[in-house]
Amino acid sequence: MRRTSLMEVAKIILVAIILLITLFPIYWMIITSLEPWELVLVWPPAFLPRQLTIEYWEWAGSRFLLPLRNSLIIAGSTTAISVALGFPAAYSFSRFRIGGTTLPFWVLSLRFLPGIVPCVAFYILFRFLGLLDTHLAVIIAHLLITLPFSVWMFKVFLDAVPRDLEEAALVDGCTYSQVLIRIILPIALPSIAVVALFSFTWSWNEFMMALILTKSQAYTLPVMIAGFRGAGMIWGGVSAGALLSLIPAIILAIFFQRYLVAGLTMGAVKG
Amino acid sequence: MRERRTAYMFVLPALILLIAAVIFPMVFSINVALRKYDLRLPTEDYPFIGIDNFLRAARDKYFLNSLLITLQFVVMGIALQFPIGLGVAVLLSRFRWRRYVLPAIAIPVLTPPIVAGYMGIILFHPDGVVNYFLSLFGASKIPWYSRPDTALITCVLIDTWQWYPFITLILLAGILSIPPEYIEAARIDGASERSIFRHVILPMLRGVIAVALIFRMLEMLRVFDVIYIVTYGGPGTATQVTNFYGYLVGFHYWDLGYAAAMGWILVIILSILVTYYMRAFRVS
């Protein structure tokens, strides 16, 4: 008995250490954003703040507003389009078996395309169309990843939904569109939430394409944060901005824990 | 017949967009890779030069060096992330309050990589927290990301903070899906915890390990964000991975043709790896 309780204590200590290492960088960023600059880089570091200021949040509040708005517009539109077009397409792939067996591989391979390949193509295309530095350019570029992702995730989900209900409705004279909206959609709501949140987070976090396709108008939060790299980095203010960009991650981690594994592996592993 | 038509009606909008956003860029970037597409040239027409860009890459020592650095990044990353990820997964599988721990573990995976890199800059600063902890054990201050021999490992460590939970989450899902009777049966037969792990749990994890490793390997082969913000490929060319070198060539020196060619070489390497890997693990 004593041995087991000792094991329990050891486990708790180990888990505590892991949690500490995993969460410390975020805690440290919060401290950095709230403490006067002179106190942040002292040796030895002060692990509890000795003096608080909202100066850096005000600094970030004025500067990060535009990228925050851009990120919201781009990630929001990307998500809406991915779900609205991906869902019916996935329904078709699932029920009428269009696309065969090559589709999965195709979808998977897209996610691992080195960024430089689509970047070159999109840059030349949008330069030609005069769309550089617009929301639309980044949205289209992001759809390259989120749309195949959404089609694929919805297909994995719909494949698992039994067909009896739809068949009954079809016999009763419903059209396919009615079946899709009245019967499938309500069942699929959780999967829609998952696909939407993952698409949103992916677009929100994406850096390389947003960096290359924007300049002074449509740049997103990660581009803004990366812009402070080098000596001119103002740690407090950038930390405040970086914390803003963590919001979707935290929401997804806390409320959608259950679907995380399926989302991260594109359904290859079920949670 | 009505069925077929409906099917295509549902697929059509997504298909059109996929062709615009996916097929077109792919085909177009192959076209660019086969041309002297140099935006610095005062001309508007970019001559077709066949595979010259690809041949140039084969002789470009910076490009070959970038492949080597990418490889180092992947090997070091997997060597760190896999054991840590597996260890934490096993620990959490036997931890009673795991559902309160998991959301915290999941946050790094969902964090923008740029932000992870930014945290790394703060923590690995010469006067930062990491050096402080090391100094408690008597180590002297290390200028982590500003020295050629430690810059790459710094990026790997930041990547590890962000992605070990990915491996943990996947392997944990795998461990929890093993029917408990299997483990019980082995225990009744007198197997030690260690041999249960080696001969019961590990073999059943084969599939999920394969998935976790391939996702991680492919993601790391195209690493860009962390390198961009932490070291910008430097000092010198110490952390100039291929995707970053491609970015420099394409969007600093404006040689888009050559950049596209390098991207496609990376794609070819990735595809070969995936094919061999899938065969080795027999995953479909």
Side-chain angles (χ1 to χ4, degrees), chain A residues 11 22 44 92 113 144 176 205 229 235 239, chain B residues 3 7 11 21 94 110 118 132 161 164 222:
Chain A
K11 267 194 253 173
T22 306
S92 243
L113 201 62
L144 170 78
Y176 278 101
N205 289 357
R229 67 164 306 281
W235 284 9
S239 291
Chain B
E3 221 176 64
V11 177
R94 296 165 186 201
L110 302 161
Y118 170 70
Y132 174 71
W161 173 80
Y164 92 81
R222 54 196 278 276

mmCIF file with all atom_site columns, all heavy atoms in Angstrom, chain A residues 11 22 44 92 113 144 176 205 229 235 239, chain B residues 3 7 11 21 94 110 118 132 161 164 222:
data_model
loop_
_atom_site.group_PDB
_atom_site.id
_atom_site.type_symbol
_atom_site.label_atom_id
_atom_site.label_alt_id
_atom_site.label_comp_id
_atom_site.label_asym_id
_atom_site.label_entity_id
_atom_site.label_seq_id
_atom_site.pdbx_PDB_ins_code
_atom_site.Cartn_x
_atom_site.Cartn_y
_atom_site.Cartn_z
_atom_site.occupancy
_atom_site.B_iso_or_equiv
_atom_site.pdbx_formal_charge
_atom_site.auth_seq_id
_atom_site.auth_comp_id
_atom_site.auth_asym_id
_atom_site.auth_atom_id
_atom_site.pdbx_PDB_model_num
ATOM 1   N N   . LYS A 1 11  ? 4.196   10.487 -9.309  1.00 0.00 ? 11  LYS A N   1
ATOM 2   C CA  . LYS A 1 11  ? 3.484   10.849 -10.539 1.00 0.00 ? 11  LYS A CA  1
ATOM 3   C C   . LYS A 1 11  ? 3.016   12.292 -10.501 1.00 0.00 ? 11  LYS A C   1
ATOM 4   O O   . LYS A 1 11  ? 3.152   13.037 -11.458 1.00 0.00 ? 11  LYS A O   1
ATOM 5   C CB  . LYS A 1 11  ? 2.272   9.923  -10.714 1.00 0.00 ? 11  LYS A CB  1
ATOM 6   C CG  . LYS A 1 11  ? 2.568   8.708  -11.559 1.00 0.00 ? 11  LYS A CG  1
ATOM 7   C CD  . LYS A 1 11  ? 1.291   8.032  -11.960 1.00 0.00 ? 11  LYS A CD  1
ATOM 8   C CE  . LYS A 1 11  ? 1.080   6.748  -11.210 1.00 0.00 ? 11  LYS A CE  1
ATOM 9   N NZ  . LYS A 1 11  ? -0.215  6.123  -11.445 1.00 0.00 ? 11  LYS A NZ  1
ATOM 10  N N   . THR A 1 22  ? 5.543   23.429 -19.507 1.00 0.00 ? 22  THR A N   1
ATOM 11  C CA  . THR A 1 22  ? 4.652   23.700 -20.630 1.00 0.00 ? 22  THR A CA  1
ATOM 12  C C   . THR A 1 22  ? 3.994   25.072 -20.514 1.00 0.00 ? 22  THR A C   1
ATOM 13  O O   . THR A 1 22  ? 3.826   25.772 -21.506 1.00 0.00 ? 22  THR A O   1
ATOM 14  C CB  . THR A 1 22  ? 3.576   22.606 -20.718 1.00 0.00 ? 22  THR A CB  1
ATOM 15  O OG1 . THR A 1 22  ? 4.228   21.333 -20.762 1.00 0.00 ? 22  THR A OG1 1
ATOM 16  C CG2 . THR A 1 22  ? 2.729   22.770 -21.964 1.00 0.00 ? 22  THR A CG2 1
ATOM 17  N N   . PRO A 1 44  ? 19.182  37.974 -10.705 1.00 0.00 ? 44  PRO A N   1
ATOM 18  C CA  . PRO A 1 44  ? 18.329  36.860 -11.132 1.00 0.00 ? 44  PRO A CA  1
ATOM 19  C C   . PRO A 1 44  ? 16.909  37.313 -11.472 1.00 0.00 ? 44  PRO A C   1
ATOM 20  O O   . PRO A 1 44  ? 16.462  38.317 -10.927 1.00 0.00 ? 44  PRO A O   1
ATOM 21  C CB  . PRO A 1 44  ? 18.325  35.953 -9.897  1.00 0.00 ? 44  PRO A CB  1
ATOM 22  C CG  . PRO A 1 44  ? 18.575  36.876 -8.747  1.00 0.00 ? 44  PRO A CG  1
ATOM 23  C CD  . PRO A 1 44  ? 19.446  37.968 -9.282  1.00 0.00 ? 44  PRO A CD  1
ATOM 24  N N   . SER A 1 92  ? -21.151 14.721 -50.719 1.00 0.00 ? 92  SER A N   1
ATOM 25  C CA  . SER A 1 92  ? -21.106 14.065 -52.030 1.00 0.00 ? 92  SER A CA  1
ATOM 26  C C   . SER A 1 92  ? -20.043 12.977 -52.076 1.00 0.00 ? 92  SER A C   1
ATOM 27  O O   . SER A 1 92  ? -20.286 11.859 -52.528 1.00 0.00 ? 92  SER A O   1
ATOM 28  C CB  . SER A 1 92  ? -20.792 15.099 -53.103 1.00 0.00 ? 92  SER A CB  1
ATOM 29  O OG  . SER A 1 92  ? -21.848 15.205 -53.976 1.00 0.00 ? 92  SER A OG  1
ATOM 30  N N   . LEU A 1 113 ? 2.912   20.522 -48.262 1.00 0.00 ? 113 LEU A N   1
ATOM 31  C CA  . LEU A 1 113 ? 3.584   21.246 -49.326 1.00 0.00 ? 113 LEU A CA  1
ATOM 32  C C   . LEU A 1 113 ? 4.484   22.317 -48.696 1.00 0.00 ? 113 LEU A C   1
ATOM 33  O O   . LEU A 1 113 ? 4.019   23.114 -47.903 1.00 0.00 ? 113 LEU A O   1
ATOM 34  C CB  . LEU A 1 113 ? 2.513   21.910 -50.182 1.00 0.00 ? 113 LEU A CB  1
ATOM 35  C CG  . LEU A 1 113 ? 2.848   22.323 -51.588 1.00 0.00 ? 113 LEU A CG  1
ATOM 36  C CD1 . LEU A 1 113 ? 3.217   21.103 -52.414 1.00 0.00 ? 113 LEU A CD1 1
ATOM 37  C CD2 . LEU A 1 113 ? 1.666   23.042 -52.211 1.00 0.00 ? 113 LEU A CD2 1
ATOM 38  N N   . LEU A 1 144 ? -6.145  27.073 -49.595 1.00 0.00 ? 144 LEU A N   1
ATOM 39  C CA  . LEU A 1 144 ? -5.322  25.969 -50.096 1.00 0.00 ? 144 LEU A CA  1
ATOM 40  C C   . LEU A 1 144 ? -5.200  24.869 -49.046 1.00 0.00 ? 144 LEU A C   1
ATOM 41  O O   . LEU A 1 144 ? -5.142  23.687 -49.371 1.00 0.00 ? 144 LEU A O   1
ATOM 42  C CB  . LEU A 1 144 ? -3.935  26.511 -50.457 1.00 0.00 ? 144 LEU A CB  1
ATOM 43  C CG  . LEU A 1 144 ? -2.827  25.507 -50.783 1.00 0.00 ? 144 LEU A CG  1
ATOM 44  C CD1 . LEU A 1 144 ? -3.016  24.994 -52.193 1.00 0.00 ? 144 LEU A CD1 1
ATOM 45  C CD2 . LEU A 1 144 ? -1.466  26.153 -50.660 1.00 0.00 ? 144 LEU A CD2 1
ATOM 46  N N   . TYR A 1 176 ? -32.313 15.853 -52.192 1.00 0.00 ? 176 TYR A N   1
ATOM 47  C CA  . TYR A 1 176 ? -31.026 15.724 -51.521 1.00 0.00 ? 176 TYR A CA  1
ATOM 48  C C   . TYR A 1 176 ? -30.676 16.977 -50.731 1.00 0.00 ? 176 TYR A C   1
ATOM 49  O O   . TYR A 1 176 ? -30.130 16.908 -49.642 1.00 0.00 ? 176 TYR A O   1
ATOM 50  C CB  . TYR A 1 176 ? -29.918 15.403 -52.520 1.00 0.00 ? 176 TYR A CB  1
ATOM 51  C CG  . TYR A 1 176 ? -29.867 13.949 -52.849 1.00 0.00 ? 176 TYR A CG  1
ATOM 52  C CD1 . TYR A 1 176 ? -30.399 13.448 -54.023 1.00 0.00 ? 176 TYR A CD1 1
ATOM 53  C CD2 . TYR A 1 176 ? -29.292 13.048 -51.953 1.00 0.00 ? 176 TYR A CD2 1
ATOM 54  C CE1 . TYR A 1 176 ? -30.374 12.097 -54.309 1.00 0.00 ? 176 TYR A CE1 1
ATOM 55  C CE2 . TYR A 1 176 ? -29.265 11.699 -52.219 1.00 0.00 ? 176 TYR A CE2 1
ATOM 56  C CZ  . TYR A 1 176 ? -29.799 11.218 -53.409 1.00 0.00 ? 176 TYR A CZ  1
ATOM 57  O OH  . TYR A 1 176 ? -29.764 9.889  -53.672 1.00 0.00 ? 176 TYR A OH  1
ATOM 58  N N   . ASN A 1 205 ? -3.052  31.289 -37.287 1.00 0.00 ? 205 ASN A N   1
ATOM 59  C CA  . ASN A 1 205 ? -1.656  31.046 -36.925 1.00 0.00 ? 205 ASN A CA  1
ATOM 60  C C   . ASN A 1 205 ? -0.702  31.143 -38.117 1.00 0.00 ? 205 ASN A C   1
ATOM 61  O O   . ASN A 1 205 ? 0.494   31.279 -37.924 1.00 0.00 ? 205 ASN A O   1
ATOM 62  C CB  . ASN A 1 205 ? -1.495  29.639 -36.328 1.00 0.00 ? 205 ASN A CB  1
ATOM 63  C CG  . ASN A 1 205 ? -2.112  29.520 -34.951 1.00 0.00 ? 205 ASN A CG  1
ATOM 64  O OD1 . ASN A 1 205 ? -2.620  30.499 -34.410 1.00 0.00 ? 205 ASN A OD1 1
ATOM 65  N ND2 . ASN A 1 205 ? -2.071  28.344 -34.393 1.00 0.00 ? 205 ASN A ND2 1
ATOM 66  N N   . ARG A 1 229 ? 11.028  41.555 -34.810 1.00 0.00 ? 229 ARG A N   1
ATOM 67  C CA  . ARG A 1 229 ? 12.221  40.752 -34.537 1.00 0.00 ? 229 ARG A CA  1
ATOM 68  C C   . ARG A 1 229 ? 13.478  41.622 -34.633 1.00 0.00 ? 229 ARG A C   1
ATOM 69  O O   . ARG A 1 229 ? 13.482  42.642 -35.290 1.00 0.00 ? 229 ARG A O   1
ATOM 70  C CB  . ARG A 1 229 ? 12.317  39.557 -35.485 1.00 0.00 ? 229 ARG A CB  1
ATOM 71  C CG  . ARG A 1 229 ? 12.570  39.903 -36.938 1.00 0.00 ? 229 ARG A CG  1
ATOM 72  C CD  . ARG A 1 229 ? 13.031  38.689 -37.687 1.00 0.00 ? 229 ARG A CD  1
ATOM 73  N NE  . ARG A 1 229 ? 14.186  38.078 -37.041 1.00 0.00 ? 229 ARG A NE  1
ATOM 74  C CZ  . ARG A 1 229 ? 15.419  38.544 -37.179 1.00 0.00 ? 229 ARG A CZ  1
ATOM 75  N NH1 . ARG A 1 229 ? 15.661  39.584 -37.917 1.00 0.00 ? 229 ARG A NH1 1
ATOM 76  N NH2 . ARG A 1 229 ? 16.421  37.940 -36.563 1.00 0.00 ? 229 ARG A NH2 1
ATOM 77  N N   . TRP A 1 235 ? 9.646   44.239 -25.860 1.00 0.00 ? 235 TRP A N   1
ATOM 78  C CA  . TRP A 1 235 ? 9.117   43.000 -25.304 1.00 0.00 ? 235 TRP A CA  1
ATOM 79  C C   . TRP A 1 235 ? 7.739   43.126 -24.679 1.00 0.00 ? 235 TRP A C   1
ATOM 80  O O   . TRP A 1 235 ? 6.867   42.306 -24.930 1.00 0.00 ? 235 TRP A O   1
ATOM 81  C CB  . TRP A 1 235 ? 10.104  42.430 -24.286 1.00 0.00 ? 235 TRP A CB  1
ATOM 82  C CG  . TRP A 1 235 ? 11.269  41.783 -24.934 1.00 0.00 ? 235 TRP A CG  1
ATOM 83  C CD1 . TRP A 1 235 ? 11.582  41.823 -26.262 1.00 0.00 ? 235 TRP A CD1 1
ATOM 84  C CD2 . TRP A 1 235 ? 12.267  40.985 -24.312 1.00 0.00 ? 235 TRP A CD2 1
ATOM 85  N NE1 . TRP A 1 235 ? 12.712  41.098 -26.498 1.00 0.00 ? 235 TRP A NE1 1
ATOM 86  C CE2 . TRP A 1 235 ? 13.161  40.581 -25.319 1.00 0.00 ? 235 TRP A CE2 1
ATOM 87  C CE3 . TRP A 1 235 ? 12.496  40.590 -22.995 1.00 0.00 ? 235 TRP A CE3 1
ATOM 88  C CZ2 . TRP A 1 235 ? 14.269  39.782 -25.050 1.00 0.00 ? 235 TRP A CZ2 1
ATOM 89  C CZ3 . TRP A 1 235 ? 13.590  39.792 -22.722 1.00 0.00 ? 235 TRP A CZ3 1
ATOM 90  C CH2 . TRP A 1 235 ? 14.470  39.390 -23.745 1.00 0.00 ? 235 TRP A CH2 1
ATOM 91  N N   . SER A 1 239 ? 4.622   41.244 -26.279 1.00 0.00 ? 239 SER A N   1
ATOM 92  C CA  . SER A 1 239 ? 4.025   40.175 -25.467 1.00 0.00 ? 239 SER A CA  1
ATOM 93  C C   . SER A 1 239 ? 2.520   40.364 -25.365 1.00 0.00 ? 239 SER A C   1
ATOM 94  O O   . SER A 1 239 ? 1.754   39.398 -25.469 1.00 0.00 ? 239 SER A O   1
ATOM 95  C CB  . SER A 1 239 ? 4.613   40.167 -24.061 1.00 0.00 ? 239 SER A CB  1
ATOM 96  O OG  . SER A 1 239 ? 5.946   39.747 -24.109 1.00 0.00 ? 239 SER A OG  1
ATOM 97  N N   . GLU B 2 3   ? -29.440 11.457 -59.021 1.00 0.00 ? 3   GLU B N   1
ATOM 98  C CA  . GLU B 2 3   ? -28.468 11.314 -57.963 1.00 0.00 ? 3   GLU B CA  1
ATOM 99  C C   . GLU B 2 3   ? -27.113 11.879 -58.383 1.00 0.00 ? 3   GLU B C   1
ATOM 100 O O   . GLU B 2 3   ? -26.508 12.668 -57.687 1.00 0.00 ? 3   GLU B O   1
ATOM 101 C CB  . GLU B 2 3   ? -28.318 9.832  -57.644 1.00 0.00 ? 3   GLU B CB  1
ATOM 102 C CG  . GLU B 2 3   ? -28.225 9.564  -56.172 1.00 0.00 ? 3   GLU B CG  1
ATOM 103 C CD  . GLU B 2 3   ? -28.180 8.089  -55.882 1.00 0.00 ? 3   GLU B CD  1
ATOM 104 O OE1 . GLU B 2 3   ? -27.201 7.448  -56.307 1.00 0.00 ? 3   GLU B OE1 1
ATOM 105 O OE2 . GLU B 2 3   ? -29.117 7.591  -55.254 1.00 0.00 ? 3   GLU B OE2 1
ATOM 106 N N   . ALA B 2 7   ? -25.039 15.024 -56.880 1.00 0.00 ? 7   ALA B N   1
ATOM 107 C CA  . ALA B 2 7   ? -23.707 14.809 -56.334 1.00 0.00 ? 7   ALA B CA  1
ATOM 108 C C   . ALA B 2 7   ? -22.743 15.856 -56.870 1.00 0.00 ? 7   ALA B C   1
ATOM 109 O O   . ALA B 2 7   ? -22.009 16.490 -56.125 1.00 0.00 ? 7   ALA B O   1
ATOM 110 C CB  . ALA B 2 7   ? -23.213 13.414 -56.671 1.00 0.00 ? 7   ALA B CB  1
ATOM 111 N N   . VAL B 2 11  ? -20.578 19.112 -55.167 1.00 0.00 ? 11  VAL B N   1
ATOM 112 C CA  . VAL B 2 11  ? -19.115 19.150 -55.195 1.00 0.00 ? 11  VAL B CA  1
ATOM 113 C C   . VAL B 2 11  ? -18.610 20.371 -55.951 1.00 0.00 ? 11  VAL B C   1
ATOM 114 O O   . VAL B 2 11  ? -17.545 20.902 -55.657 1.00 0.00 ? 11  VAL B O   1
ATOM 115 C CB  . VAL B 2 11  ? -18.562 17.861 -55.829 1.00 0.00 ? 11  VAL B CB  1
ATOM 116 C CG1 . VAL B 2 11  ? -17.057 17.913 -55.940 1.00 0.00 ? 11  VAL B CG1 1
ATOM 117 C CG2 . VAL B 2 11  ? -18.972 16.665 -54.994 1.00 0.00 ? 11  VAL B CG2 1
ATOM 118 N N   . ALA B 2 21  ? -7.507  27.516 -56.101 1.00 0.00 ? 21  ALA B N   1
ATOM 119 C CA  . ALA B 2 21  ? -6.603  27.758 -54.974 1.00 0.00 ? 21  ALA B CA  1
ATOM 120 C C   . ALA B 2 21  ? -5.554  26.666 -54.807 1.00 0.00 ? 21  ALA B C   1
ATOM 121 O O   . ALA B 2 21  ? -4.593  26.858 -54.099 1.00 0.00 ? 21  ALA B O   1
ATOM 122 C CB  . ALA B 2 21  ? -7.407  27.910 -53.677 1.00 0.00 ? 21  ALA B CB  1
ATOM 123 N N   . ARG B 2 94  ? -1.609  6.873  -16.900 1.00 0.00 ? 94  ARG B N   1
ATOM 124 C CA  . ARG B 2 94  ? -1.797  6.302  -15.552 1.00 0.00 ? 94  ARG B CA  1
ATOM 125 C C   . ARG B 2 94  ? -2.071  7.378  -14.519 1.00 0.00 ? 94  ARG B C   1
ATOM 126 O O   . ARG B 2 94  ? -1.920  7.151  -13.330 1.00 0.00 ? 94  ARG B O   1
ATOM 127 C CB  . ARG B 2 94  ? -0.545  5.532  -15.147 1.00 0.00 ? 94  ARG B CB  1
ATOM 128 C CG  . ARG B 2 94  ? -0.316  4.363  -16.056 1.00 0.00 ? 94  ARG B CG  1
ATOM 129 C CD  . ARG B 2 94  ? 1.056   3.835  -15.888 1.00 0.00 ? 94  ARG B CD  1
ATOM 130 N NE  . ARG B 2 94  ? 1.287   2.806  -16.880 1.00 0.00 ? 94  ARG B NE  1
ATOM 131 C CZ  . ARG B 2 94  ? 2.219   1.886  -16.762 1.00 0.00 ? 94  ARG B CZ  1
ATOM 132 N NH1 . ARG B 2 94  ? 2.991   1.875  -15.710 1.00 0.00 ? 94  ARG B NH1 1
ATOM 133 N NH2 . ARG B 2 94  ? 2.366   0.988  -17.696 1.00 0.00 ? 94  ARG B NH2 1
ATOM 134 N N   . LEU B 2 110 ? -1.490  24.563 -30.348 1.00 0.00 ? 110 LEU B N   1
ATOM 135 C CA  . LEU B 2 110 ? -2.393  25.465 -31.048 1.00 0.00 ? 110 LEU B CA  1
ATOM 136 C C   . LEU B 2 110 ? -1.866  26.895 -31.089 1.00 0.00 ? 110 LEU B C   1
ATOM 137 O O   . LEU B 2 110 ? -2.463  27.779 -31.678 1.00 0.00 ? 110 LEU B O   1
ATOM 138 C CB  . LEU B 2 110 ? -3.759  25.437 -30.364 1.00 0.00 ? 110 LEU B CB  1
ATOM 139 C CG  . LEU B 2 110 ? -4.399  24.044 -30.303 1.00 0.00 ? 110 LEU B CG  1
ATOM 140 C CD1 . LEU B 2 110 ? -5.471  23.989 -29.242 1.00 0.00 ? 110 LEU B CD1 1
ATOM 141 C CD2 . LEU B 2 110 ? -4.952  23.675 -31.660 1.00 0.00 ? 110 LEU B CD2 1
ATOM 142 N N   . TYR B 2 118 ? 8.744   33.690 -30.479 1.00 0.00 ? 118 TYR B N   1
ATOM 143 C CA  . TYR B 2 118 ? 8.917   34.935 -29.736 1.00 0.00 ? 118 TYR B CA  1
ATOM 144 C C   . TYR B 2 118 ? 9.160   34.660 -28.250 1.00 0.00 ? 118 TYR B C   1
ATOM 145 O O   . TYR B 2 118 ? 10.025  35.273 -27.619 1.00 0.00 ? 118 TYR B O   1
ATOM 146 C CB  . TYR B 2 118 ? 7.689   35.824 -29.948 1.00 0.00 ? 118 TYR B CB  1
ATOM 147 C CG  . TYR B 2 118 ? 7.677   37.013 -29.045 1.00 0.00 ? 118 TYR B CG  1
ATOM 148 C CD1 . TYR B 2 118 ? 8.596   38.038 -29.231 1.00 0.00 ? 118 TYR B CD1 1
ATOM 149 C CD2 . TYR B 2 118 ? 6.794   37.085 -27.985 1.00 0.00 ? 118 TYR B CD2 1
ATOM 150 C CE1 . TYR B 2 118 ? 8.623   39.118 -28.374 1.00 0.00 ? 118 TYR B CE1 1
ATOM 151 C CE2 . TYR B 2 118 ? 6.811   38.153 -27.127 1.00 0.00 ? 118 TYR B CE2 1
ATOM 152 C CZ  . TYR B 2 118 ? 7.724   39.172 -27.321 1.00 0.00 ? 118 TYR B CZ  1
ATOM 153 O OH  . TYR B 2 118 ? 7.752   40.228 -26.462 1.00 0.00 ? 118 TYR B OH  1
ATOM 154 N N   . TYR B 2 132 ? 19.370  31.413 -16.424 1.00 0.00 ? 132 TYR B N   1
ATOM 155 C CA  . TYR B 2 132 ? 19.343  31.527 -14.974 1.00 0.00 ? 132 TYR B CA  1
ATOM 156 C C   . TYR B 2 132 ? 19.265  30.142 -14.334 1.00 0.00 ? 132 TYR B C   1
ATOM 157 O O   . TYR B 2 132 ? 20.013  29.822 -13.408 1.00 0.00 ? 132 TYR B O   1
ATOM 158 C CB  . TYR B 2 132 ? 18.169  32.392 -14.522 1.00 0.00 ? 132 TYR B CB  1
ATOM 159 C CG  . TYR B 2 132 ? 18.029  32.409 -13.024 1.00 0.00 ? 132 TYR B CG  1
ATOM 160 C CD1 . TYR B 2 132 ? 18.948  33.088 -12.233 1.00 0.00 ? 132 TYR B CD1 1
ATOM 161 C CD2 . TYR B 2 132 ? 17.006  31.711 -12.394 1.00 0.00 ? 132 TYR B CD2 1
ATOM 162 C CE1 . TYR B 2 132 ? 18.856  33.081 -10.858 1.00 0.00 ? 132 TYR B CE1 1
ATOM 163 C CE2 . TYR B 2 132 ? 16.901  31.695 -11.016 1.00 0.00 ? 132 TYR B CE2 1
ATOM 164 C CZ  . TYR B 2 132 ? 17.824  32.379 -10.249 1.00 0.00 ? 132 TYR B CZ  1
ATOM 165 O OH  . TYR B 2 132 ? 17.729  32.356 -8.888  1.00 0.00 ? 132 TYR B OH  1
ATOM 166 N N   . TRP B 2 161 ? 9.208   22.346 -27.370 1.00 0.00 ? 161 TRP B N   1
ATOM 167 C CA  . TRP B 2 161 ? 8.208   22.847 -26.427 1.00 0.00 ? 161 TRP B CA  1
ATOM 168 C C   . TRP B 2 161 ? 6.836   22.858 -27.106 1.00 0.00 ? 161 TRP B C   1
ATOM 169 O O   . TRP B 2 161 ? 5.841   22.453 -26.522 1.00 0.00 ? 161 TRP B O   1
ATOM 170 C CB  . TRP B 2 161 ? 8.551   24.275 -25.980 1.00 0.00 ? 161 TRP B CB  1
ATOM 171 C CG  . TRP B 2 161 ? 7.457   24.868 -25.146 1.00 0.00 ? 161 TRP B CG  1
ATOM 172 C CD1 . TRP B 2 161 ? 7.224   24.646 -23.824 1.00 0.00 ? 161 TRP B CD1 1
ATOM 173 C CD2 . TRP B 2 161 ? 6.410   25.738 -25.593 1.00 0.00 ? 161 TRP B CD2 1
ATOM 174 N NE1 . TRP B 2 161 ? 6.106   25.330 -23.420 1.00 0.00 ? 161 TRP B NE1 1
ATOM 175 C CE2 . TRP B 2 161 ? 5.579   26.008 -24.481 1.00 0.00 ? 161 TRP B CE2 1
ATOM 176 C CE3 . TRP B 2 161 ? 6.079   26.317 -26.830 1.00 0.00 ? 161 TRP B CE3 1
ATOM 177 C CZ2 . TRP B 2 161 ? 4.453   26.827 -24.563 1.00 0.00 ? 161 TRP B CZ2 1
ATOM 178 C CZ3 . TRP B 2 161 ? 4.957   27.134 -26.904 1.00 0.00 ? 161 TRP B CZ3 1
ATOM 179 C CH2 . TRP B 2 161 ? 4.163   27.390 -25.780 1.00 0.00 ? 161 TRP B CH2 1
ATOM 180 N N   . TYR B 2 164 ? 6.066   18.562 -28.640 1.00 0.00 ? 164 TYR B N   1
ATOM 181 C CA  . TYR B 2 164 ? 6.037   17.290 -27.919 1.00 0.00 ? 164 TYR B CA  1
ATOM 182 C C   . TYR B 2 164 ? 4.593   16.936 -27.526 1.00 0.00 ? 164 TYR B C   1
ATOM 183 O O   . TYR B 2 164 ? 4.213   15.768 -27.563 1.00 0.00 ? 164 TYR B O   1
ATOM 184 C CB  . TYR B 2 164 ? 6.985   17.306 -26.700 1.00 0.00 ? 164 TYR B CB  1
ATOM 185 C CG  . TYR B 2 164 ? 6.322   17.738 -25.413 1.00 0.00 ? 164 TYR B CG  1
ATOM 186 C CD1 . TYR B 2 164 ? 5.566   16.834 -24.665 1.00 0.00 ? 164 TYR B CD1 1
ATOM 187 C CD2 . TYR B 2 164 ? 6.393   19.050 -24.971 1.00 0.00 ? 164 TYR B CD2 1
ATOM 188 C CE1 . TYR B 2 164 ? 4.898   17.245 -23.507 1.00 0.00 ? 164 TYR B CE1 1
ATOM 189 C CE2 . TYR B 2 164 ? 5.741   19.459 -23.821 1.00 0.00 ? 164 TYR B CE2 1
ATOM 190 C CZ  . TYR B 2 164 ? 4.985   18.552 -23.102 1.00 0.00 ? 164 TYR B CZ  1
ATOM 191 O OH  . TYR B 2 164 ? 4.316   18.970 -21.993 1.00 0.00 ? 164 TYR B OH  1
ATOM 192 N N   . ARG B 2 222 ? 9.556   21.270 -43.477 1.00 0.00 ? 222 ARG B N   1
ATOM 193 C CA  . ARG B 2 222 ? 9.211   22.541 -44.105 1.00 0.00 ? 222 ARG B CA  1
ATOM 194 C C   . ARG B 2 222 ? 9.210   23.674 -43.082 1.00 0.00 ? 222 ARG B C   1
ATOM 195 O O   . ARG B 2 222 ? 8.526   24.667 -43.245 1.00 0.00 ? 222 ARG B O   1
ATOM 196 C CB  . ARG B 2 222 ? 7.864   22.429 -44.806 1.00 0.00 ? 222 ARG B CB  1
ATOM 197 C CG  . ARG B 2 222 ? 6.754   21.927 -43.906 1.00 0.00 ? 222 ARG B CG  1
ATOM 198 C CD  . ARG B 2 222 ? 5.574   21.486 -44.721 1.00 0.00 ? 222 ARG B CD  1
ATOM 199 N NE  . ARG B 2 222 ? 4.763   22.627 -45.090 1.00 0.00 ? 222 ARG B NE  1
ATOM 200 C CZ  . ARG B 2 222 ? 3.836   23.167 -44.302 1.00 0.00 ? 222 ARG B CZ  1
ATOM 201 N NH1 . ARG B 2 222 ? 3.614   22.678 -43.126 1.00 0.00 ? 222 ARG B NH1 1
ATOM 202 N NH2 . ARG B 2 222 ? 3.134   24.198 -44.715 1.00 0.00 ? 222 ARG B NH2 1
#
